[in-house]
């Protein structure tokens, strides 16, 4: 949009807060003043500062400043055109851009307010017409109205009716004047006619200072509505509407100065009331919009409310006389101007929307809001999914943390178990403990027989590694049918060997137990002798069966049997007097594992309520028994065990009674009492009596076992002497034995021999 007569002045952005543009126009001395030889006391030293030239007395100097600065000051020789251009045009022509504006003329009587405002109004209107002529793309409507506030009454200057007009409060437009004439200005001549008509209607009286003093406040209002021609008549049409007010205030002089009396005095009182309120409003507005602003205290301030700190751009031109005689009034004017320049307004572009356009716009807004609602709804569901995902992720993280904690606990438990195993290995190498272990051997065997039904329950209390170890142990010693059967068919082998070599000692040891009879009874209930006999008879079948049933376990069993064979030899206190000297690391991995498992088994499998009875041999008995169990797979193994045990293991019966418990058993899951009772009530002798003879139908067990042992010993001795003649120490011999027994050929021979 262009501007009129300087279009750049109309490009000011709206919707911003700005100060009231305050200017001061100094008029020249008039004839009366010059006649009194009055001299100008005020001088504009530059475009913005005006000073009081006369020397002030000491008292006045403290009361009044000598210099005043404003947006613009005009010397007496400044033309009204210049004043308009520099002090009003920019603000006044904002109206063509839809921005309200107001131009005020404030000053004492005869200071040139009407003189200045008349010129500014004409220049403005002239520029507006010029602007309209340049902008044919828009259609403009100019409406003119004029009011007078005289003695606090509002009068329509375009009407001959002097009836005061009422002021109404409109929520959108603010204060409106009821039944105010609004003339549509056709052209410049029409404007001049209207202006002339208004001047004729205005209250003018003669005062001592002004022969044609304006005794009222005059407000000329020019409203401009503009619409783009291309949108006229269609739904998109909208218009800009704004008003520019040309306010010619009544004189702010004191009544005493005008020597008023009667009607003039009464006018002066009302004028001063309005100007006093205007001054108060300006002063309050200059300090901010906090608190109450008394706009409604006068008709003038009420009508000009939007122009005084509202939606309007405002310019105030303060007119002043340079005469010394008016110094006091001039100072009041400058004081008012100083306050006014601190007042800010916030002008906005006023867009008028047609009814059709308004409906269309409202429908569009409704559709937009509905779309936002839908988007918001979908976004909400998306956010719900995201929240659910976050919740699930948190649950996953918690589970991961829990798994880590459980894994850590498992590792700790495993470490503890390993430590116990290692401790047990280190502590369990004395001959006394071996004797103790041997004396408890039947318990392991018996437990392995009937405890399978409770195996799951027992395992469930163990950690994963414990379970794994236990499974290994079960596979070795009491792995369900195979290992239990091994026990069953192996025990006679061992027991017979014991009976042959040292049966009296063992029998004597077991036989002193008070609960022997109960053991026998429970054995009758729990063990199926016939089944055991069958198992003993079907050693080969069972082993073969297990190979099929448990292909994963069986190779382990076989290998472990071989390893354990050597281990048993090495663990023999007589094969190596100090078995503890055998470092676990010297064992093969299979041996280490086997040793751990054996110790683990003895801790887990043989908890006994009798400390002196169970504990001492807990650590070693597993090893012994497991060795025995595994050896039962081949005659050569069995023979080897028989050789060791028969020769040395049970010589020291006294140590069985004196060996102290190790106490590790308390750290493990306690077996059910019923199982414990079943465990230690079993009696070796009783059991032995029920077991079928080894290799029934062939040679006696003793003969067979002795033969086996002799064969194996002979084979081992030959191998050792031939391959390692320098191997003279027991430990070296044990290693050689291990090599020999791990040899596939030996194993094969042994197995065939057993079968
Ligand atoms: N700047 C000026 N240059 C020349 N003459 C001026 C100037 N200002 C005012 N006058 C003359 O001073 C006289 C008084 O001016 P004007 O009527 O405008 O005063 P006013 O402030 O409106 O007084 P009132 O308040 O009584 O109406 C007029 O005759 C006017 O021509």
């Amino acid at each position: 949009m262009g501007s009129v007569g300087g279009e750049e002045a109309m490009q000011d952005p709206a919707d911003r807060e700005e100060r009231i543009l305050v200017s001061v126009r100094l008029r020249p001395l008039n004839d009366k003043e010059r006649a009194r030889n009055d001299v100008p006391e005020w001088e504009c030293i530059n475009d913005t500062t005006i000073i009081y030239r006369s020397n002030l007395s000491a008292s006045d100097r403290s009361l009044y400043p000598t210099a005043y600065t404003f947006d613009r000051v005009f010397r007496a020789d400044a033309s009204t055109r210049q004043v308009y251009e520099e002090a009003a045009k920019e603000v006044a022509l904002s109206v063509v851009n839809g921005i309200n504006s107001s131009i005020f003329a404030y000053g004492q009587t005869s200071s040139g307010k009407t003189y200045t405002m008349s010129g500014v109004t004409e220049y403005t209107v002239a520029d507006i017409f010029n602007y309209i002529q340049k902008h044919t793309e828009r259609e403009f409507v100019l409406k003119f109205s004029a009011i007078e506030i005289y003695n606090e009454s509002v009068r329509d200057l375009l009407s001959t009716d002097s009836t005061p007009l009422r002021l109404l409060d409109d929520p959108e437009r603010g204060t409106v004047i009821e039944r105010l004439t609004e003339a549509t200005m056709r052209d410049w001549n029409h404007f001049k006619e209207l202006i002339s008509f208004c001047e004729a209607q205005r209250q003018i009286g003669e005062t001592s200072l002004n022969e044609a003093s304006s005794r009222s406040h005059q407000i000329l209002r020019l409203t401009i509505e503009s619409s783009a021609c291309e949108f006229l008549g269609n739904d998109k049409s909208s218009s800009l509407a704004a008003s520019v007010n040309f306010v010619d205030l009544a004189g702010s002089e004191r009544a005493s100065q005008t020597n008023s009396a009667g009607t003039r005095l009464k006018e002066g009182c009302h004028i001063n009331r309005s100007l006093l309120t205007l001054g108060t409003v300006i002063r309050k507005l200059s300090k901010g919009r906090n608190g109450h602003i008394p706009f409604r205290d006068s008709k003038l301030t009420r009508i000009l409310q939007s122009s005084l700190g509202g939606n309007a751009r405002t310019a105030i031109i303060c007119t002043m006389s340079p005469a010394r005689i008016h110094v006091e009034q001039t100072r009041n004017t400058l004081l008012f101007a100083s306050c006014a320049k601190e007042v800010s307004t916030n002008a906005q572009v006023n867009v008028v929307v047609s009814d059709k356009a308004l409906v269309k716009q409202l429908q569009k807004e409704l559709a937009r809001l509905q779309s936002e609602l839908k988007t918001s709804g979908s976004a909400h569901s998306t956010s719900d999914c995201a929240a659910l995902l976050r919740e699930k992720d948190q649950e996953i993280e918690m589970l991961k943390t829990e798994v880590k904690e459980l894994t850590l606990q498992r590792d700790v438990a495993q470490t503890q178990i390993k430590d116990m195993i290692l401790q047990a290995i280190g502590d369990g190498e004395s001959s006394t403990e071996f004797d103790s272990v041997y004396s408890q051997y039947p318990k392991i065997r018996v437990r392995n027989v009937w405890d399978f039904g409770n195996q799951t329950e027992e395992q469930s209390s163990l950690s994963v590694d414990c379970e794994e170890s236990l499974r290994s142990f079960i596979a070795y010693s009491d792995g369900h049918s195979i290992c239990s059967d091994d026990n069953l068919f192996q025990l006679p082998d061992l027991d017979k060997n014991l009976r042959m070599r040292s049966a009296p000692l063992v029998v004597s040891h077991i036989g002193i137990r008070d609960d022997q009879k109960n053991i026998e009874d429970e054995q009758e209930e729990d063990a199926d002798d016939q089944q055991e006999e069958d198992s003993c008879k079907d050693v080969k079948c069972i082993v073969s069966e297990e190979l099929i049933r448990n292909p994963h376990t069986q190779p382990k069993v076989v290998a472990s049997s071989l390893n354990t064979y050597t281990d048993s030899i090495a663990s023999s206190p007589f094969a190596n007097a100090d078995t503890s000297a055998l470092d676990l690391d010297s064992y093969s991995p299979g041996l280490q594992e086997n040793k751990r498992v054996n110790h683990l088994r003895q801790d887990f499998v043989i908890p006994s309520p009798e400390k002196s009875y169970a504990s001492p041999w807990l650590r070693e008995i597993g090893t012994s028994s497991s060795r025995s169990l595994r050896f039962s797979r081949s005659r050569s193994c069995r023979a080897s065990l028989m050789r060791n045990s028969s020769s040395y293991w049970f010589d020291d019966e006294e140590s069985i009674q004196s060996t102290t418990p190790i106490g590790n058993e308390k750290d493990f899951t306690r077996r059910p009492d019923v199982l414990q009772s079943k465990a230690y009530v079993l009696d070796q002798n009783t059991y032995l009596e029920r077991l079928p003879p080894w290799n029934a139908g062939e040679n006696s067990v003793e003969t067979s076992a002795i033969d086996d042992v002799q064969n194996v010993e002979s084979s081992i001795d030959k191998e050792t002497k031939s391959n390692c003649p320098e191997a003279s120490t027991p430990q070296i011999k044990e290693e050689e034995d291990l090599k020999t027994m791990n040899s596939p050929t030996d194993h094969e021979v042994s197995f065939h021999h057993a079968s």
Side-chain angles (χ1 to χ4, degrees):
M1 183 177 290
S3 63
V4 178
E7 297 186 9
E8 64 282 358
M10 307 177 71
Q11 303 301 321
D12 287 341
D15 299 326
R16 67 180 183 182
E17 187 168 312
E18 65 176 5
R19 300 284 179 85
I20 292 177
L21 182 64
V22 179
S23 303
V24 171
R25 186 184 189 188
L26 187 64
R27 69 162 173 82
L29 293 172
N30 58 27
D31 294 339
K32 289 185 177 178
E33 295 165 343
R34 278 193 296 268
R36 293 195 297 264
N37 294 321
D38 207 336
V39 294
E41 296 287 345
W42 299 90
E43 181 183 1
C44 298
I45 60 174
N46 55 38
D47 290 343
T48 58
T49 304
I50 186 171
I51 60 171
Y52 185 68
R53 295 177 57 182
S54 299
N55 292 327
L56 295 174
S57 62
S59 58
D60 289 344
R61 200 176 297 122
S62 62
L63 292 175
Y64 307 107
T66 56
Y68 299 85
T69 300
F70 301 99
D71 295 310
R72 189 69 168 89
V73 294
F74 299 95
R75 297 182 179 89
D77 57 350
S79 66
T80 304
R81 178 76 186 189
Q82 183 182 3
V83 173
Y84 162 75
E85 294 285 346
E86 300 180 15
K89 180 178 180 179
E90 180 183 342
V91 174
L93 294 185
S94 297
V95 69
V96 297
N97 293 324
I99 300 172
N100 295 325
S101 59
S102 295
I103 311 296
F104 286 82
Y106 180 93
Q108 72 174 90
T109 183
S110 75
S111 62
K113 299 183 293 297
T114 302
Y115 180 87
T116 301
M117 191 53 66
S118 296
V120 168
T121 304
E122 289 184 358
Y123 287 124
T124 302
V125 172
D127 282 345
I128 290 174
F129 277 122
N130 192 19
Y131 177 85
I132 292 173
Q133 289 176 354
K134 289 183 178 179
H135 294 84
T136 56
E137 76 280 4
R138 296 182 69 86
E139 185 176 283
F140 293 87
V141 177
L142 299 180
K143 296 179 178 179
F144 182 83
S145 61
I147 61 170
E148 171 187 57
I149 303 174
Y150 177 74
N151 293 340
E152 281 299 297
S153 295
V154 178
R155 182 182 174 203
D156 188 350
L157 293 179
L158 292 179
S159 173
T160 56
D161 187 358
S162 59
T163 305
L165 304 178
R166 292 196 307 165
L167 299 181
L168 304 177
D169 292 323
D170 186 273
E172 293 182 359
R173 296 184 295 171
T175 301
V176 296
I177 303 171
E178 187 182 31
R179 294 187 295 112
L180 177 64
T181 301
E182 194 170 50
T184 300
M185 223 163 38
R186 298 183 300 270
D187 50 26
W188 174 258
N189 291 329
H190 189 206
F191 165 70
K192 294 296 286 185
E193 292 175 4
L194 294 173
I195 291 294
S196 298
F197 188 83
C198 290
E199 289 178 352
Q201 296 293 325
R202 190 176 184 185
Q203 299 292 327
I204 297 177
E206 183 179 358
T207 66
S208 61
L209 297 178
N210 190 352
E211 295 177 354
S213 174
S214 303
R215 308 310 297 167
S216 64
H217 308 294
Q218 175 184 270
I219 302 175
L220 303 180
R221 175 172 291 178
L222 181 63
T223 301
I224 301 177
E225 297 178 3
S226 66
S227 301
C229 295
E230 59 177 323
F231 298 126
L232 286 175
N234 61 30
D235 295 340
K236 297 181 180 178
S237 65
S238 61
S239 61
L240 301 176
S243 299
V244 53
N245 295 316
F246 302 97
V247 183
D248 181 12
L249 297 173
S252 58
E253 71 285 353
R254 292 177 181 174
S256 59
Q257 286 183 298
T258 56
N259 297 317
S260 300
T263 302
R264 300 282 88 83
L265 181 60
K266 181 182 177 183
E267 292 171 352
C269 292
H270 285 293
I271 292 171
N272 287 334
R273 175 184 173 184
S274 295
L275 293 178
L276 179 63
T277 303
L278 177 63
T280 303
V281 167
I282 293 294
R283 189 172 63 253
K284 285 181 175 292
L285 288 174
S286 68
K287 297 177 182 176
R289 291 190 177 87
N290 301 322
H292 173 66
I293 309 297
F295 289 107
R296 299 179 68 88
D297 284 2
S298 72
K299 294 280 183 11
L300 175 68
T301 54
R302 188 178 176 186
I303 292 172
L304 297 177
Q305 180 174 346
S306 62
S307 300
L308 300 170
N311 178 24
R313 303 185 68 189
T314 303
I316 296 180
I317 303 174
C318 294
T319 55
M320 54 183 289
S321 169
R324 179 178 295 176
I325 191 175
H326 302 306
V327 167
E328 182 179 356
Q329 289 302 316
T330 301
R331 286 176 178 152
N332 289 335
T333 299
L334 294 175
L335 180 60
F336 174 88
S338 298
C339 289
K341 70 179 184 181
E342 301 298 329
V343 176
S344 298
T345 59
N346 188 7
Q348 297 177 351
V349 177
N350 303 294
V351 179
V352 178
V353 182
S354 66
D355 292 343
K356 281 188 177 180
L358 183 61
V359 170
K360 204 75 176 177
Q361 184 176 343
L362 291 175
Q363 289 175 341
K364 189 177 180 181
E365 181 69 8
L366 179 62
R368 186 185 65 82
L369 292 174
Q370 289 176 338
S371 176
E372 283 184 0
L373 275 176
K374 290 179 180 177
T375 306
S376 174
S378 64
H380 183 66
S381 61
T382 304
S383 64
D384 286 346
C385 292
L388 186 61
L389 284 175
R390 284 194 296 271
E391 183 180 351
K392 293 300 178 187
D393 288 342
Q394 290 177 352
E395 290 181 6
I396 291 173
E397 291 301 320
M398 290 175 60
L399 290 174
K400 285 182 178 178
T401 304
E402 190 174 351
V403 167
K404 286 182 180 177
E405 292 177 355
L406 291 175
T407 303
L408 182 61
Q409 293 177 8
R410 183 203 63 183
D411 293 341
V412 170
Q414 181 181 2
T415 302
Q416 291 176 348
I417 291 171
K418 289 179 178 178
D419 290 343
M420 289 177 175
I421 292 172
L422 293 174
Q423 183 180 0
I425 291 173
D427 295 339
E429 303 301 328
S430 67
S431 59
T432 302
E433 289 181 341
F434 277 117
D435 292 340
S436 301
V437 167
Y438 177 76
S439 68
Q440 296 300 325
Y441 177 77
K443 293 184 67 177
I444 296 177
R445 181 180 61 81
V446 172
R447 186 269 181 190
N448 292 338
V449 171
W450 47 253
D451 199 30
F452 299 131
N454 301 288
Q455 194 64 57
T456 302
E457 177 184 345
E458 191 166 305
Q459 289 177 358
S460 64
S461 62
L462 302 174
S463 65
V464 176
D465 282 356
C466 289
E467 290 177 356
E468 182 63 29
S469 301
L470 191 57
R471 278 195 296 273
S472 300
F473 158 65
I474 291 170
Y476 294 158
S477 60
D478 53 338
H480 206 269
S481 61
I482 174 174
C483 292
S484 60
D485 292 338
D486 285 348
N487 295 341
L488 291 174
F489 67 71
Q490 180 272 338
L491 278 171
D493 185 17
L494 174 61
D495 292 338
K496 289 176 181 178
N497 184 39
L498 293 175
R499 193 162 50 190
M500 176 186 69
R501 299 274 180 109
S502 54
L505 295 177
V506 176
V507 170
S508 172
H509 167 62
I510 303 299
I512 61 175
R513 297 173 56 185
D514 298 334
D515 53 355
Q516 179 174 346
K517 196 170 186 62
N518 294 332
I519 294 173
E520 293 175 0
D521 294 338
E522 291 194 18
Q523 274 190 307
E524 290 177 357
E525 295 174 1
D526 298 334
D528 187 347
D529 292 344
Q530 185 60 44
Q531 182 180 357
E532 293 171 355
E533 291 175 4
D534 294 340
S535 299
C536 293
K537 292 175 181 176
D538 299 331
V539 175
K540 184 178 178 182
C541 297
I542 292 169
V543 172
S544 301
E545 248 181 67
E546 193 59 31
L547 281 169
I548 298 172
R549 243 184 306 175
N550 196 349
H552 302 291
T553 304
Q554 184 59 31
K556 203 172 181 180
V557 171
V558 173
S560 298
S561 300
L562 297 173
N563 291 338
T564 308
Y565 170 77
T566 305
D567 190 23
S568 68
I569 298 173
S571 299
S572 169
F574 295 94
N576 182 0
D578 185 10
T579 52
S580 63
L582 287 173
D583 189 356
L584 188 63
D585 294 335
S586 65
Y587 289 77
S588 66
L591 282 176
Q592 296 179 26
E593 177 64 20
N594 189 33
K595 197 172 186 69
R596 292 191 187 98
V597 168
N598 288 337
H599 284 282
L600 177 65
R601 175 190 55 194
Q602 69 192 15
D603 289 332
F604 276 103
V605 173
I606 318 169
S608 172
E610 299 176 10
K611 288 184 179 179
S612 60
Y613 185 68
S615 298
W617 37 261
L618 277 176
R619 292 169 297 172
E620 197 59 39
I621 192 169
T623 304
S624 302
S625 60
S626 64
R627 290 166 189 149
S628 301
L629 297 174
R630 282 185 283 267
F631 293 154
S632 65
R633 296 184 180 278
S634 69
R635 286 192 173 185
S636 60
C637 296
R638 181 173 64 248
S640 178
L641 173 63
M642 292 168 66
R643 177 204 63 177
N644 292 316
S645 60
S646 62
S647 301
Y648 315 113
W649 285 15
F650 311 114
D651 290 347
D652 189 2
E653 182 188 6
E654 296 297 327
S655 63
I656 298 174
Q657 305 296 334
S658 61
T659 305
T660 56
I662 60 173
N664 286 347
E665 63 276 14
K666 68 179 182 297
D667 296 326
F668 296 96
T669 304
R670 191 171 184 269
R671 293 179 61 193
D673 293 337
V674 60
L675 300 181
Q676 294 179 25
S677 62
K678 288 181 179 178
Y680 65 77
V681 296
L682 290 176
D683 180 82
Q684 183 180 14
N685 289 338
T686 306
Y687 199 75
L688 289 173
E689 291 174 2
R690 294 178 181 175
L691 291 174
W694 178 255
N695 287 338
E698 298 180 2
N699 298 332
S700 65
V701 174
E702 292 85 350
T703 304
S704 176
I706 291 171
D707 291 342
D708 290 342
V709 170
Q710 289 174 345
N711 291 335
V712 172
E713 282 180 335
S714 175
S715 175
I716 291 174
D717 290 341
K718 287 179 180 177
E719 288 289 330
T720 304
K721 289 175 181 176
S722 62
N723 296 333
C724 294
E726 68 281 5
S728 56
T729 63
Q731 183 170 348
I732 294 175
K733 185 177 185 301
E734 290 166 4
E735 294 174 352
E736 291 302 324
D737 290 343
L738 174 61
K739 293 176 181 176
T740 301
M741 296 310 297
N742 281 334
S743 168
T745 303
D746 291 343
H747 177 259
E748 198 173 326
V749 170
S750 298
F751 190 82
H752 290 165
H753 182 69
S755 60

